[in-house]
Amino acid sequence: MRAGIAAFAGGVILLYWGGWLPALPHLLLSISLFLSVVALLWRGYLRSVLLIAACLALGFSYATWHAHERLGRILAAPVEAQVWGYVCSLPDAGSYQRFYFEFCVTGWAINQPAPPITPPPQRVRLSWSGAEAPPIGPLALTVSMVPPQGQVNPAGFRYETWLFRHGIGATGRVQALDKDPSHGLSCPLGCRYHSLRFQVANGLQVRWGDLQHYPLFASLVMGDRRFLDSQWQVLRDTGTAHLLAISGLHVGLVAGLFATFAQLLLRLLPTALVGPQQRRIWVAAAAMMSAGIYALLAGFTIPTRRALIMVVVAAWVLARARGREAGRAWLLALFVVLLLDPFAPLDPGFWLSFAAVGILLLVFSARVARPGYLAGLLLAQLAVTILLWPVLYLAELPVAGLGLLANLLAIPWVSVVVMPVLMLTLVLGWLISPLVSGLGGVADLTLALLWRWLEMLAQLPVPMTAPGFTVVLALTVAVALVLLVPDRSARIALAAMVVLAGAATMLAPVERAKAASEGASRLWVFDQGQGQMLLYENHGQRLLIGAGPGRSEERHSLDATLAALDVLAVDAWVLMHGGAEHADGVTSLWQRIQAHQVVAGHWYRVADRLPGEFDRLQPCLRQDSALGNAMVEFWPLQGPGAEDELTCAVVIRGQGYEIVLPGDLTIAGERRWLAVRDFERPQDSQRILIAGRYGSRQASGAGWVKQLAPDLVIFTAGRHHRFGYPHPQVAERYRHQGARMLHTGELGALRLELADPIHISAGRENAPFWIRPAISD
């Protein structure tokens, strides 16, 4: 039975590990043939093998069926429609007076184009423009929706994966609120639940919103992370963002707290009234009930549902007094989670949760003597922190160099002090109003101590990337030996070696990584929607152009990509202009990347974004600089009387190619540049143009396009952009000149190997089935 359960789970995981989705008719035919073979070969010595194979096929088929069903609910093309339903998440405030929220659709009517054959998405993510958040409850909205889309870079967070995993079939923006819909609106059970949670969130803010660390308070109490802003950078730098994402750690802590409280109360009752078995049942019931209430308070999100299942299974084992069945309970929880949620393998938290519990079971089950409370806490923290590093790498999650040190104290502090104080504050403060202020002060103090520790670590000069996978794997094996070797003296010797090696790994100066090949020349054009961030490599030297956006999801992807490419230092860093889509990310990268030269157009606007000193920042001046065997030209350009045209344009001249980056120049700026630089086509050289203003018709004038006559033009804008970049007139001009056009919104991040011929690879090539495939010109 255990082998069959494990095989079923393996089948579900196999679908998302391979990333290939078979067609349902082919799958049904293959299963029929397989079952026929099983029936013919069903003999004693083959029975176990065939049963495992059948369970593996069953898990794979089960996940495939659910994947096809979810893909059928994804919007296929942009539409304008009237939708009715209810807001099913707490509205999150963004920039420019916009709110983002998830909307559960109960019905729709298509305005244009013609009604699609597929059913409407059950859940969509919308933006709402206005000074106030959208009303909570049943709504009728006029919306403009597009298929789910996001950036695809070599590493890091992928928004499309997140949307598919959460069942979001479209994204869009609200055009109007229908205040007098022709049809009646009902508020089903889900609507009532989200309305009640919104009221609780408002009540929480009224009572404790004036706390200095209320963003942390709200995140830990009910998963409300709307108030987190600058805190995200500290959390990412210290590898502690998971502490504010309610998951198995938090749900398990709450369940443990209330189970302990129930156990203490039951001890006051005589044994004749409540026997040992009844005590275990009541304690298990308290754990399950408190975990369920906390999961509902936290939004009943995917991580909280998964944690609740694990708590229920663990409580069931506790109630049966079967402590030796911990391994079987772990496997049963894995089976139930995948049965109820076959998309779980797409969630990094799934891997971390089950890996962490498995590590703890392995470590403590192998020990003969039970450690004391403090020793057990430190042992558990050390085991989970170190042994999870390979899992973090395999799940493509960021591994902060300070993560080990930060979590070594932060997790025990949150577990032993913060969460008990917050739960006590929540319960007593809600029941006894006079205690609100005092309890809030104590809670704020515990959070202040935690935050002071994290801020102190975040200021340390530690590289943005963690050690390589080989180093991490070696440290993991060494720590595993420390934890599992029975001889105490051997454990002490190994522990000393691990501490010294770990300290040397984290604190030693990190040399700048060279290009994969010393003689290689390549250009990375990253996918960030509307914006430009590029990395040029030549003979081991690097030029970084742009800083990317400041928005969290795109920032995570770009930071992880730079870490994966070992971009710890560059020879030059150019911020062509101070626009938000080009320079917002400078705040994140300024202290994390070493640059010998930092040049900026719109110098003062870029300086305003920098944290602390900005002595390294230089205004753009007309100059030529050598980079490897290439020459980089810097051109400070400004249109007549237009401040927004102040741009540091760049030209890279290499062997057999020329790369032109006009940045934010408008048509007037292009004319000015044509007047001061000779753009005669280089002999035996290919010209690559990064289209100015992302393909807007305010740039790429007819004279500019004709004079440059590029072989390849790259548009850096999101797919289905509201402004329609590249503009059809601009695309037609380049097409008339015979240029090949590439669009990062259609292809993902681009990697150009600047050889003869130039080889281009796209991020969406060979993408898994839940990522929209590449669309070429």
Side-chain angles (χ1 to χ4, degrees):
M1 181 61 70
R2 287 196 295 267
I5 290 176
F8 177 88
V12 175
I13 293 171
L14 182 62
L15 175 68
Y16 294 101
W17 189 272
W20 171 73
L21 183 69
L24 279 178
H26 297 164
L27 180 66
L28 293 175
L29 178 61
S30 300
I31 292 176
S32 300
L33 293 174
F34 175 73
L35 292 177
S36 300
V37 173
V38 170
L40 290 174
L41 299 178
W42 190 263
R43 295 183 179 89
Y45 63 92
L46 288 177
R47 188 173 300 171
S48 298
V49 176
L50 292 175
L51 179 62
I52 292 174
C55 290
L56 182 72
L58 179 62
F60 185 82
S61 304
Y62 182 74
T64 300
W65 173 59
H66 279 276
H68 276 286
E69 185 181 39
R70 178 158 292 185
L71 288 173
R73 286 278 186 174
I74 291 179
L75 194 68
V79 298
E80 291 185 5
Q82 288 180 316
V83 297
W84 47 94
Y86 55 91
V87 176
C88 48
S89 71
L90 295 176
D92 188 13
S95 55
Y96 308 110
Q97 290 190 332
R98 286 184 182 174
F99 291 86
Y100 298 89
F101 61 94
E102 293 175 22
F103 190 77
C104 290
V105 179
T106 57
W108 73 343
I110 302 297
N111 296 338
Q112 62 174 350
I117 300 175
T118 57
Q122 294 178 329
R123 198 179 188 99
V124 298
R125 184 168 175 83
L126 301 174
S127 66
W128 168 286
S129 298
E132 296 182 358
I136 304 299
L139 298 174
L141 305 172
T142 300
V143 298
S144 174
M145 295 190 297
V146 298
Q149 56 192 0
Q151 287 71 48
V152 178
N153 286 300
F157 176 76
R158 288 191 174 180
Y159 189 46
E160 278 185 57
T161 299
W162 184 89
L163 292 172
F164 177 80
R165 193 267 174 275
H166 288 77
I168 297 175
T171 61
R173 55 190 177 90
V174 177
Q175 295 180 335
L177 170 65
D178 188 353
K179 298 183 179 180
D180 187 23
S182 57
H183 55 276
L185 295 176
S186 61
C187 190
L189 182 61
C191 172
R192 296 176 185 177
Y193 160 67
H194 286 287
S195 299
L196 177 61
R197 183 168 181 260
F198 184 73
Q199 294 174 15
V200 172
N202 287 341
L204 198 73
Q205 188 177 7
V206 169
R207 283 174 171 80
W208 293 288
D210 58 345
L211 297 180
Q212 180 183 358
H213 296 284
Y214 179 75
L216 307 181
F217 182 93
S219 298
L220 290 170
V221 167
M222 62 176 302
D224 185 0
R225 295 184 287 176
R226 295 175 298 166
F227 304 99
L228 294 173
D229 187 13
S230 59
Q231 293 90 346
W232 282 120
Q233 189 59 55
V234 174
L235 294 170
R236 281 195 292 263
D237 290 344
T238 56
T240 53
H242 64 96
L243 290 178
L244 298 187
I246 292 180
S247 58
L249 171 67
H250 308 80
V251 177
L253 286 173
V254 171
L257 287 172
F258 282 91
T260 303
F261 181 69
Q263 192 172 26
L264 294 175
L265 288 179
L266 290 171
R267 285 181 180 178
L268 301 177
L269 301 177
T271 307
L273 185 61
V274 182
Q277 179 62 26
Q278 291 175 313
R279 289 175 188 269
R280 286 192 295 269
I281 292 175
W282 280 108
V283 169
M288 289 188 286
M289 185 176 298
S290 59
I293 293 174
Y294 186 54
L296 289 172
L297 186 64
F300 212 57
T301 58
I302 289 170
T304 58
R305 293 199 297 266
R306 180 178 60 245
L308 180 60
I309 292 172
M310 299 178 75
V311 167
V312 168
V313 173
W316 171 73
V317 172
L318 175 66
R320 296 182 62 194
R322 300 289 183 87
R324 295 182 179 179
E325 293 186 354
R328 186 178 299 180
W330 181 88
L331 188 60
L332 178 61
L334 176 66
F335 170 74
V336 174
V337 166
L338 292 175
L339 183 67
L340 298 179
D341 181 16
F343 305 98
L346 288 175
D347 187 1
F350 164 82
W351 298 97
L352 296 179
S353 296
F354 279 97
V357 175
I359 288 169
L360 293 177
L361 291 176
L362 177 65
V363 169
F364 286 100
S365 63
R367 304 185 72 85
V368 177
R370 183 176 180 179
Y373 179 77
L374 182 59
L377 187 64
L378 293 176
L379 179 64
Q381 177 55 35
L382 179 64
V384 170
T385 302
I386 294 292
L387 300 183
L388 275 184
W389 270 17
V391 180
L392 290 170
Y393 269 93
L394 294 176
E396 296 185 353
L397 291 173
V399 182
L402 292 168
L404 172 61
L405 185 58
N407 283 287
L408 194 59
L409 291 182
I411 291 181
W413 181 256
V414 170
S415 305
V416 179
V417 179
V418 174
M419 289 303 295
V421 170
L422 292 186
M423 291 299 104
L424 188 66
T425 300
L426 181 65
V427 174
L428 294 182
W430 219 281
L431 296 176
I432 309 174
S433 298
L435 297 179
V436 168
S437 178
L439 291 171
V442 175
D444 206 31
L445 177 61
T446 63
L447 293 170
L449 293 174
L450 169 68
W451 195 246
R452 178 57 184 159
W453 166 248
L454 297 181
E455 282 187 321
M456 182 182 68
L457 291 180
Q459 294 172 2
L460 295 178
V462 175
M464 64 183 294
T465 56
F469 182 72
T470 304
V471 175
V472 167
L473 189 60
L475 286 174
T476 302
V477 172
V479 170
L481 291 174
V482 170
L483 297 174
L484 299 177
V485 167
D487 183 68
R488 183 178 181 182
S489 59
R491 287 204 306 269
I492 294 175
L494 283 171
M497 294 172 60
V498 169
V499 170
L500 292 175
T505 301
M506 289 191 298
L507 301 179
V510 179
E511 296 292 333
R512 175 169 61 88
K514 300 294 184 181
S517 172
E518 286 295 322
S521 295
R522 67 175 60 88
L523 176 69
W524 286 95
V525 184
F526 299 121
D527 183 11
Q528 63 167 73
Q530 178 181 327
Q532 290 178 356
M533 185 172 179
L534 304 92
L535 178 67
Y536 172 72
E537 300 175 315
N538 187 301
H539 283 68
Q541 295 186 306
R542 284 171 162 174
L543 167 67
L544 182 64
I545 300 172
R551 297 180 298 274
S552 59
E553 59 271 9
E554 289 101 336
R555 185 73 261 151
H556 182 287
S557 175
L558 291 174
D559 284 351
T561 294
L562 293 178
L565 297 175
D566 289 331
V567 182
L568 301 177
V570 294
D571 297 274
W573 185 7
V574 182
L575 300 163
M576 293 191 292
H577 58 90
E581 67 280 0
H582 184 74
D584 253 6
V586 70
T587 305
S588 171
L589 295 179
W590 186 252
Q591 301 292 350
R592 307 170 73 184
I593 291 184
Q594 302 175 9
H596 297 297
Q597 181 184 21
V598 186
V599 177
H602 266 160
W603 180 89
Y604 60 91
R605 287 183 61 184
V606 174
D608 287 342
R609 302 176 188 272
L610 296 179
E613 58 85 20
F614 47 87
D615 295 340
R616 291 186 292 154
L617 188 66
Q618 305 172 12
C620 181
L621 302 174
R622 174 69 192 97
Q623 59 179 318
D624 294 348
S625 290
L627 191 81
N629 64 0
M631 188 64 66
V632 181
E633 303 176 11
F634 298 99
W635 291 84
L637 297 166
Q638 182 175 2
E643 179 185 298
D644 285 341
E645 290 186 36
L646 183 60
T647 292
C648 186
V650 177
V651 177
I652 303 172
R653 292 183 282 113
Q655 295 182 356
Y657 60 88
E658 181 184 73
I659 305 171
V660 181
L661 298 101
D664 210 34
L665 288 182
T666 61
I667 293 177
E670 293 169 349
R671 291 171 182 161
R672 183 181 177 88
W673 200 10
L674 289 174
V676 297
R677 187 191 189 277
D678 183 8
F679 277 98
E680 287 296 325
R681 188 174 185 82
Q683 186 176 5
D684 299 327
S685 180
Q686 299 186 67
R687 177 171 284 167
I688 302 167
L689 172 66
I690 311 298
R693 288 188 169 244
Y694 326 112
S696 164
R697 63 177 176 178
Q698 296 176 348
S700 297
W704 168 264
V705 174
K706 183 178 180 180
Q707 180 65 37
L708 263 70
D711 299 281
L712 174 67
V713 58
I714 299 175
F715 299 103
T716 55
R719 187 171 183 248
H720 298 309
H721 191 275
R722 61 183 302 184
F723 298 126
Y725 296 153
H727 193 276
Q729 292 180 1
V730 171
E732 180 56 34
R733 287 173 190 157
Y734 286 113
R735 187 176 292 110
H736 181 72
Q737 289 294 326
R740 180 186 179 188
M741 293 182 290
L742 301 179
H743 188 190
T744 56
E746 304 285 0
L747 300 170
L750 300 173
R751 172 176 170 168
L752 285 71
E753 295 293 340
L754 301 173
D756 188 15
I758 294 176
H759 175 72
I760 303 173
S761 58
R764 291 185 182 272
E765 292 177 351
N766 303 315
F769 66 86
W770 60 88
I771 298 288
R772 176 177 46 81
I775 302 175
S776 58
D777 179 38

